[in-house]
C-alpha cells in the first residue's frame, strides 16, 4: 500500500511543473522523469530511514541546484 501511494504521489510534482516547459517534449520528458525518480527515491528514504532523510536530501539538492548552481 505504501508503494502504491508513493508511486502515485510522486507524479504530482512533475505534473505541476510541466506547464513551465510546455511545447518542448524532449525537455518535458527529461525533467519529468528526473523529478519522478527523485520523488520515488525520497519515498524510499522515508520508508527506510524516516522523516529526516528525505528532508535532508531535498534541502541538499536545493542548495546545490539553486544556490551553488546560481553562483556558477
Amino acid at each position: 500500500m505504501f508503494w502504491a501511494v508513493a508511486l502515485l504521489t510522486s507524479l504530482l510534482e512533475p505534473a505541476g511543473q510541466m506547464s513551465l516547459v510546455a511545447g518542448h517534449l524532449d525537455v518535458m520528458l527529461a525533467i519529468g522523469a528526473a523529478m519522478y525518480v527523485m520523488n520515488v527515491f525520497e519515498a524510499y528514504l522515508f520508508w527506510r530511514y524516516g522523516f529526516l532523510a528525505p528532508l535532508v536530501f531535498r534541502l541538499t539538492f536545493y542548495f546545490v541546484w539553486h544556490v551553488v548552481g546560481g553562483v556558477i
Side-chain angles (χ1 to χ4, degrees):
M1 182 68 178
F2 172 82
W3 285 109
V5 172
L7 292 174
L8 289 174
T9 58
S10 293
L11 288 170
L12 293 176
E13 182 183 13
Q17 299 292 327
M18 289 304 104
S19 64
L20 298 175
V21 289
H24 303 281
L25 183 61
D26 53 344
V27 176
M28 287 175 65
L29 290 175
I31 291 175
M35 283 181 178
Y36 182 73
V37 168
M38 190 169 79
N39 288 338
V40 170
F41 179 67
E42 289 174 354
Y44 168 76
L45 289 175
F46 178 73
W47 176 68
R48 180 76 169 95
Y49 300 107
F51 176 75
L52 285 179
L55 181 64
V56 169
F57 174 79
R58 181 61 74 138
L59 290 174
T60 303
F61 171 77
Y62 282 158
F63 176 75
V64 170
W65 184 255
H66 292 287
V67 177
V68 175
V71 171
I72 294 174

